[in-house]
Amino acid sequence: MNTLRLNAQQGQDIVTAADLLQQGKLVAVPTETVYGLAADASNPSAVSGIFTAKGRPANHPLIVHLHAITAMTNWAKDIPAAAWQLAEAFWPGPLTLLLPKADHVSPVITGGLNSIGLRMPAHPALLQVLQLNQLAVAAPSANRYKKLSPTSAEQVLAGLHGRIDAVLDGGECEHGVESTIVDLTGEPIRIVRAGPITASQLQAVLKTTVLQPQQHQAQVPGNVDAHYQPNTPLRCLDSAQLHALLLEQPSNIAVLHLNALPTAQAGIICKQMPTDAAGYASQLYRQLYQADKLGVTAIWCELPPQGEAWLAVHDRLRRAQHSAY
Ligand code: TXA
Ligand code: MG
């Protein structure tokens, strides 16, 4: 299959992307979090193509991306007031709501679950695509199963060239990590995947407690431990461990660091990461992808600080590393 490269700056290419989706094709699209691999959510056979292209197990549920807040009622039922409040406050934006699915929704989308994940994305090019035909698209991150989520069209093509019909190039993603997922199907409301929007932000809107587990919830199919992995082994180290190891003069290593390194190191490729959580998150997958291309034997990453703002980064680092830290 030839993968068409479309440019989100061109109006005609936006129309082409919308038409391809309507015809049941697979199109990788930019979102404000990471690139998604989209198919028309009302077309189960198109949606099943996503699993083939990614090599993703069929029981892993997909998020449906909406063109408007009101479209929630097309996909979910028994929608609680909290869902409308959160949608009004954070959509379009990096927040996915888990709700009871509407009866007609295909199990291909939900992996056989009774719930459905919904979000209205904020990237203007994707919103235009969705609004043209009032389309809803099922879209997981546009990577091969277990690999890093892509934050650029180049990264999408590195994994999926020849396996999908098109990619719409909308530039680098703003947030760089996947949306916060919040479960509204039971009480208390809980975050099941940390992301750009924190529990405190949700609580400020809802005026009620939102649980934020420190570890991700593995009971959801697809929310697995080993995930988002670069090909090169990643090792997360605190500053003291990192500095001690660097004294042993290793070579052929890439280092993603926050604090200044003790001395200049031959044979080591260093990248200073942003010291704020949002900046760090926006660079994380991009820098792991770049490091992967260097042919080094390992990537060493200096652990960032703790704190609510850093939860999404710690979650992704923990899963990107080949063992727990
Ligand atoms: O930012 C994002 O959320 C990106 C962009 C493309 O929108 N999408 C994304 O999709 O990260 P994906 O498929 O890579 O991760 C979605 C995760 C699934 O692995 C699953 O754990 C959870 O969302 N999920 C989706 N629907 C669910 C449901 N009905 N119940 C529980 N978990 C669900
Ligand atoms: Mg994913």
Side-chain angles (χ1 to χ4, degrees):
M1 181 191 299
N2 178 37
T3 301
L4 198 60
R5 189 163 181 156
L6 302 169
N7 181 350
Q9 309 284 346
Q10 310 277 341
Q12 185 52 48
D13 283 9
I14 299 276
V15 175
T16 304
D19 287 349
L20 286 170
L21 286 165
Q22 193 128 52
Q23 291 160 25
K25 309 280 191 196
L26 298 182
V27 182
V29 292
T31 86
E32 76 280 29
T33 57
V34 300
Y35 274 71
L37 179 56
D40 179 355
S42 66
N43 179 342
S45 92
V47 173
S48 66
I50 291 174
F51 294 88
T52 315
K54 280 184 61 109
R56 176 178 170 120
N59 67 339
H60 291 190
L62 303 175
I63 295 169
V64 172
H65 296 66
L66 307 175
H67 78 281
I69 292 175
T70 49
M72 230 186 329
T73 53
N74 298 340
W75 299 94
K77 66 177 182 185
D78 306 331
I79 301 172
W84 294 109
Q85 285 174 282
L86 292 179
E88 291 291 345
F90 297 106
W91 286 2
L95 180 68
T96 296
L97 308 179
L98 296 184
L99 295 165
K101 79 172 188 73
D103 296 334
H104 71 86
V105 175
S106 164
V108 175
I109 290 177
T110 61
L113 299 174
N114 286 326
S115 58
I116 186 163
L118 299 177
R119 88 177 186 97
M120 180 181 175
H123 195 291
L126 176 55
L127 277 181
Q128 282 176 50
V129 168
L130 298 182
Q131 283 164 358
L132 265 180
N133 300 325
Q134 309 229 322
L135 209 65
V137 292
S141 49
N143 49 289
R144 298 287 280 272
Y145 182 52
K146 285 192 188 284
K147 297 297 180 189
L148 295 173
S149 299
T151 57
S152 68
E154 178 205 341
Q155 258 175 280
V156 171
L157 289 170
L160 293 175
H161 184 78
R163 301 175 72 86
I164 60 175
D165 295 286
V167 56
L168 178 64
D169 186 348
E172 305 268 351
C173 299
E174 179 193 344
H175 295 291
V177 291
E178 300 82 352
S179 61
T180 303
I181 303 181
V182 59
D183 186 355
L184 295 159
T185 62
E187 298 273 346
I189 293 169
R190 65 176 68 226
I191 289 179
V192 295
R193 181 174 71 184
I197 294 175
T198 62
S200 303
Q201 287 174 283
L202 301 178
Q203 283 172 176
V205 170
L206 296 174
K207 313 271 187 281
T208 167
T209 303
V210 174
L211 296 186
Q212 165 75 82
Q214 296 299 304
Q215 298 278 330
H216 72 273
Q217 301 293 290
Q219 74 269 24
V220 178
N223 207 2
V224 289
D225 260 332
H227 215 319
Y228 314 113
Q229 295 195 332
N231 297 320
T232 315
L234 172 74
R235 201 167 157 196
C236 298
L237 302 153
D238 66 31
S239 306
Q241 288 171 317
L242 176 65
H243 290 190
L245 280 174
L246 288 174
L247 289 176
E248 293 171 18
Q249 307 209 316
S251 63
N252 214 17
I253 303 282
V255 179
L256 307 183
H257 64 101
L258 283 157
N259 298 304
L261 294 178
T263 49
Q265 303 272 332
I268 294 200
I269 300 159
C270 298
K271 174 70 194 173
Q272 161 85 57
M273 295 295 284
T275 52
D276 67 297
Y280 191 107
S282 76
Q283 288 295 314
L284 178 60
Y285 291 143
R286 191 168 307 149
Q287 293 307 331
L288 290 175
Y289 172 74
Q290 297 296 346
D292 240 353
K293 290 202 297 189
L294 296 171
V296 291
T297 53
I299 304 168
W300 291 354
C301 178
E302 183 174 12
L303 280 168
Q306 296 298 325
E308 187 183 37
W310 289 93
L311 280 173
V313 164
H314 279 287
D315 172 63
R316 302 313 187 276
L317 281 175
R318 208 178 285 120
R319 297 200 234 181
Q321 182 170 263
H322 293 228
S323 60
Y325 67 72

